[in-house]
């Protein structure tokens, strides 16, 4: 039977779920986020999303950051991140949305989205792994094959950064939607996109969304943001997610040190990612900056 969660996710392209951070994990996650944000803003942690670059590769040109990359990296020394990523309530939602078994789950990205300190910034309307230059036919084809992964944002503090167009994970853009999403620059007014809604997450809420839904985001330097941003895959998708995931540079996940920090149960999940990594050639990048 299809769960209610899955039915909403399938129909709308997103679903909001409360309560995936336990009372025990919450203070630990907050404190770990504070520490990694400090390291990133100081320039000590080099893996970050820089203001001025909307998509990978993020480069190193701007000292201001809108994201901390690879929070499970052993060099950050924050085991709470992998503990939470593999926690049962979260894994339960992943299985339900992917309609798969635990043995199919593939460990993927885990990053943190933060407010830039000195500049406002924004991302243009996009689908994560389909170019805005795609024809209607190419878009239709790409969307048909996008069932093997989930992406989510879990807000530690109230977060109204993300805009999406519900149901656009199934449909190519209309002519009018195309005209709002054919340039490289972020929109002046995201609410002018036909069908768009602005999502507000309360602290502790998660939005699971199809990462090829039409979406954009705005980042205010004045509003505190610390939002856990992650993806999980279904190994039955083969290499379909390789570019989308591996473009972020996940070679560090092959190191013994990372594996050693995971519990027995989570290691096979990592092994599935490594198998995808080992069979993928050069993946390139999904979108242009
Ligand atoms: O900031 C967000 O919530 C969305 C980020 C995003 O769309 C992306 O990194 O592709
Ligand atoms: Fe995106």
């Amino acid at each position: 039977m299809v769960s209610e969660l899955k039915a909403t996710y399938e129909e709308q392209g997103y679903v909001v779920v409360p309560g995936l951070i336990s009372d025990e994990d919450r203070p630990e996650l907050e404190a770990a986020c504070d520490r990694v944000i400090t390291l990133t803003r100081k320039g000590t942690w080099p893996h970050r999303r820089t203001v001025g670059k909307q998509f990978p590769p993020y480069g190193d040109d701007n000292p201001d950051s809108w994201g901390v990359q690879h929070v499970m990296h052993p060099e950050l020394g924050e085991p709470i991140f992998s503990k939470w990523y593999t926690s049962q309530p979260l894994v339960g939602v992943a299985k339900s949305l992917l309609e798969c078994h635990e043995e199919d789950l593939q460990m993927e990205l885990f990053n943190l989205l933060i407010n830039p300190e000195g500049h406002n910034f924004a991302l243009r309307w996009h689908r994560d792994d389909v170019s805005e230059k795609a024809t209607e036919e190419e878009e239709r084809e790409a969307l048909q094959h996008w069932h093997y992964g989930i992406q989510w944002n879990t807000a530690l503090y109230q977060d109204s950064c993300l805009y999406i167009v519900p149901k656009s994970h199934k449909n190519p853009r209309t002519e009018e939607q195309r005209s709002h999403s054919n340039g490289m620059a972020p929109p002046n007014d995201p609410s002018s996109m036909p069908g768009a809604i602005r999502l507000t997450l309360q602290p502790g809420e998660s939005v699971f969304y199809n990462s090829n839904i039409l979406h954009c985001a705005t980042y205010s330097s004045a509003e505190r943001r610390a939002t856990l941003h992650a993806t999980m895959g279904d190994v039955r998708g083969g290499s379909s997610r390789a570019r989308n995931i591996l473009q972020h540079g996940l070679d560090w996940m092959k190191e013994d040190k990372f594996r050693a920090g995971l519990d027995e149960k989570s290691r096979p999940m990592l092994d599935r990612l490594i198998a995808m990594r080992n069979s993928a050639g050069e993946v390139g990048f999904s979108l242009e900056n």
Side-chain angles (χ1 to χ4, degrees), residues 49 54-56 58 66 113-114 123-124 126-128 151 153 159 161-163 207 209 211 215-219 225 227 229 248 287:
R49 298 184 176 204
Q54 300 181 45
F55 303 108
Y58 296 107
W66 63 276
L113 301 174
I114 64 175
L123 303 187
R124 66 181 183 260
H126 65 281
R127 305 182 188 277
D128 279 5
Q151 175 158 305
N153 285 7
D159 180 340
C161 295
L162 185 65
Y163 293 75
V207 59
Y209 54 109
S211 60
H215 62 287
C216 74
T218 59
Y219 310 121
R225 187 185 206 204
T227 290
H229 179 63
H248 288 266
L287 300 174

Side-chain angles (χ1 to χ4, degrees), residues 3 5-6 17 20 84-102 105 150 152 208 232 265 269:
S3 67
L5 213 60
K6 169 74 177 169
V17 182
L20 295 178
W84 183 71
Y85 182 95
T86 57
S87 62
Q88 270 316 305
L90 193 52
V91 165
V93 173
K95 285 193 300 189
S96 161
L97 295 181
L98 291 166
E99 293 187 308
C100 73
H101 300 290
E102 199 131 344
L105 289 176
I150 51 166
W152 68 96
F208 290 81
M232 206 178 274
K265 224 169 143 244
M269 207 173 163

Side-chain angles (χ1 to χ4, degrees), residues 263-279:
D263 60 25
E264 285 291 321
K265 224 169 143 244
S266 313
R267 287 180 192 158
M269 207 173 163
L270 170 65
D271 293 338
R272 291 176 209 118
L273 174 78
I274 293 173
M276 181 173 83
R277 166 74 190 79
N278 290 341
S279 61

Side-chain angles (χ1 to χ4, degrees), residues 5-6 10 14 16 29 32 37 53 70 92 124 131 156 170 185 202 207 214 226 274:
L5 213 60
K6 169 74 177 169
E10 205 43 50
Y14 75 99
V16 175
L29 279 170
I37 291 170
K53 289 284 195 295
H70 313 319
R124 66 181 183 260
S131 164
L156 292 184
K170 287 186 181 166
Q202 298 305 326
V207 59
L214 199 52
I274 293 173

Side-chain angles (χ1 to χ4, degrees), residues 168-182:
S168 60
H169 62 307
K170 287 186 181 166
N171 301 310
R173 289 162 295 171
T174 62
E175 278 310 311
E176 204 187 343
Q177 287 171 336
R178 253 175 197 277
S179 71
H180 283 77
S181 63
N182 57 7

Side-chain angles (χ1 to χ4, degrees), residues 130-162:
V130 187
S131 164
E132 50 281 304
K133 294 178 194 135
T135 62
E136 184 176 332
E137 215 25 68
E138 285 165 346
E139 224 174 324
R140 196 185 304 281
E141 166 71 13
L143 298 181
Q144 260 173 27
H145 299 293
W146 203 251
H147 301 291
Y148 293 108
I150 51 166
Q151 175 158 305
W152 68 96
N153 285 7
T154 300
L156 292 184
Y157 312 103
Q158 186 176 302
D159 180 340
S160 304
C161 295
L162 185 65

